[in-house]
Amino acid sequence: MIIRPVDEVRGELDAPPSKSYTHRAYFLALLAEEDSVIENPLTCDDTLATVGAIRAFGAKVDGGNVKPPEEPSAGFVYARESGTTARFSVAIAGGINGGTIVDGAGRLRARPMGGLVRALKDLGAEVKGSHLPLTVRGPVKPGRVRVDASKSSQFVSGLLLLASKVGLKVEVEDPVSRPYVEMTLRTMEAFGVEFERDGFSFEVHPGVRGAKYRVPGDYSTASFFLAAGALYGKVRVGNLLRDDVQADMAFLDALEEFGARVRRGKDYVEVERDGLKAVTLDCSDFPDSFPILAVVAAYADGKSVIKARQLRFKESDRVRAMAANLARMGVKVKELEDGLEIEGGRPKGAEIETFNDHRIAMAMTVAALGAEGPSIIDNPRSVSKSHPGFFDDLRRLLE
């Protein structure tokens, strides 16, 4: 796909439904005692993997209508390239009497699973393997478990979902991406799950009620369009709730630190271009924003440092992927162990490698809109992992 530079990006659109909330709602609907209706679920490669997973566990799914089984059954789960699907499925399998195989494709087979595997073993489950494919044989014994969450908050969220079925005390060590755990807890509340917490220690009582649940808009995907407003004009994105707990809401604070004008409404966010200056940021709690923050830094005045703790364990090694692509665009960039040092300026058009990573593809497309000369995106279809309509939405802002 060829991306040609534009003079301005200006307009408004609605954010797509949240991928993270969609995953959580489907898995809770699987565990519920009654039928559930999930309104406005996101349909993309990752959420289709989750629909396939809960069907494998015995649920009947028709769009947003979910009829749970009397008890989830052991089986085979193919998580495609969805880390959330894989980790939640591994955790749920720990509560099932029988052996479940969870497998996936691409880099997912190399992504960390150790913290979750150790926790399930401590609870009495049998787990074969340390990476996908994993075979999990439950059921776990109710009790207390400690989980090392330094590699992924999804280990915590998966155990909390399991706990909502079997009852557990979950103690979390060294958590990253903490807001994603808050999203899990908020969704659990919507499905009637009762729990107590003390910091990042949780006592979850068994019992999930069926629910009518509406999926909120996605700040993560909205960040790419809002960044285009910060760089090239003015963009308003609706369907974003101000009282949400999504991790990538912190992206708005980061844009303000860069110097962009940010206006938060009750159900929208508007971002307008202004003089952008370099910043130093740690986005460990919202690492999905790293690629697009690196793009903003590439246009900001001065030298920025953007870091996060787990960037090398995503759909790609996002440190290396962004370093390589920004360098191709003539940006002075230095690769750090946990991030990038970026000298801002005016990027040049280039051939962009997406590394089959949806967020690299979207971020570098936004970068190309202001570059000197056209750019080529090598695998634009990778955006279907989280937002198949990304390019259609972007065109609306360019009309």
Side-chain angles (χ1 to χ4, degrees):
M1 175 180 285
I2 298 175
I3 306 295
R4 302 187 186 280
V6 298
D7 294 328
E8 186 177 56
V9 177
R10 187 173 293 269
E12 57 184 272
L13 49 80
D14 282 341
S18 163
K19 180 162 73 86
S20 295
Y21 278 123
T22 299
H23 283 304
R24 287 155 174 79
Y26 273 125
F27 273 101
L28 284 161
L30 162 73
L31 301 175
E33 298 162 359
E34 308 91 15
D35 295 0
S36 295
V37 177
I38 302 169
E39 298 180 337
N40 197 39
L42 176 68
T43 300
C44 66
D45 287 353
D46 277 11
T47 59
L48 289 173
T50 281
V51 169
I54 69 170
R55 282 177 171 154
F57 285 126
K60 295 181 180 179
V61 187
D62 181 9
N65 299 307
V66 181
K67 184 177 182 62
E70 289 189 14
E71 289 293 334
S73 56
F76 174 76
V77 173
Y78 180 61
R80 303 191 188 191
E81 296 188 44
S82 173
T84 307
T85 305
R87 287 160 175 160
F88 288 5
S89 295
V90 167
I92 297 302
I96 297 174
N97 185 12
T100 295
I101 298 173
V102 182
D103 199 1
R107 271 181 60 91
L108 184 54
R109 282 187 158 199
R111 292 177 68 178
M113 293 285 179
L116 179 57
V117 168
R118 286 190 293 273
L120 291 173
K121 287 182 176 179
D122 289 345
L123 287 167
E126 297 179 15
V127 186
K128 294 182 180 178
S130 57
H131 295 84
L132 297 188
L134 289 171
T135 301
V136 183
R137 183 176 295 275
V140 297
K141 299 173 183 177
R144 183 187 302 271
V145 66
R146 297 178 71 86
V147 57
D148 177 358
S150 60
K151 292 292 191 294
S152 176
S153 66
Q154 291 169 359
F155 300 166
V156 183
S157 291
L159 288 170
L160 290 173
L161 294 174
L162 172 62
S164 71
K165 182 67 175 177
V166 305
L168 291 173
K169 295 180 180 178
V170 181
E171 298 178 354
V172 183
E173 296 179 344
D174 198 17
V176 294
S177 305
R178 298 181 183 203
Y180 285 97
V181 177
E182 303 300 333
M183 294 174 69
T184 303
L185 295 169
R186 178 170 284 203
T187 317
M188 288 164 56
E189 288 176 326
F191 281 79
V193 180
E194 296 181 356
F195 59 88
E196 291 86 42
R197 68 180 299 179
D198 180 9
F200 265 70
S201 293
F202 308 92
E203 182 171 359
V204 183
H205 305 287
V208 184
R209 294 198 297 267
K212 186 175 182 179
Y213 178 81
R214 183 169 182 82
V215 177
D218 189 23
Y219 273 88
S220 182
T221 300
S223 67
F224 298 97
F225 305 115
L226 295 171
L231 291 170
Y232 313 123
K234 184 177 180 180
V235 170
R236 175 183 288 205
V237 180
N239 193 33
L240 294 175
L241 300 179
R242 186 166 54 191
D243 64 348
D244 211 325
V245 293
Q246 293 185 46
D248 289 294
M249 293 176 71
F251 174 77
L252 304 179
D253 297 329
L255 283 185
E256 287 181 318
E257 193 169 341
F258 271 113
R261 298 178 185 177
V262 179
R263 182 183 178 191
R264 298 166 173 85
K266 182 180 179 180
D267 58 358
Y268 72 89
V269 176
E270 185 176 86
V271 175
E272 187 172 4
R273 176 175 51 193
D274 208 340
L276 300 179
K277 61 184 186 300
V279 303
T280 297
L281 288 172
D282 186 332
C283 55
S284 293
D285 278 342
F286 56 113
D288 285 345
S289 290
F290 171 79
I292 190 61
L293 286 170
V295 168
V296 176
Y299 281 90
D301 183 22
K303 185 181 294 183
S304 295
V305 176
I306 315 291
K307 294 183 177 182
R309 286 168 56 189
Q310 64 277 41
L311 297 170
R312 296 188 184 273
F313 305 105
K314 296 291 187 178
E315 285 85 340
S316 68
D317 178 339
R318 288 182 174 162
V319 174
R320 185 156 298 172
M322 289 304 298
N325 281 318
L326 291 176
R328 288 172 185 165
M329 298 187 86
V331 177
K332 293 181 180 179
V333 56
K334 179 181 179 182
E335 187 174 328
L336 310 174
E337 181 179 354
D338 58 351
L340 294 175
E341 184 179 278
I342 301 165
E343 185 75 39
R346 178 75 186 277
K348 298 177 174 60
E351 292 189 15
I352 302 301
E353 183 179 357
T354 66
F355 296 86
N356 197 36
D357 187 328
H358 55 134
R359 299 200 192 280
I360 301 299
M362 290 188 277
M364 294 310 301
T365 297
V366 173
L369 292 175
E372 294 180 359
S375 297
I376 299 174
I377 308 295
D378 77 333
N379 181 18
R381 295 183 65 183
S382 60
V383 303
S384 64
K385 190 174 196 296
S386 60
H387 185 33
F390 171 76
F391 290 105
D392 289 336
D393 280 347
L394 189 59
R395 288 186 187 97
R396 292 188 187 100
L397 298 178
L398 301 178
E399 291 175 350

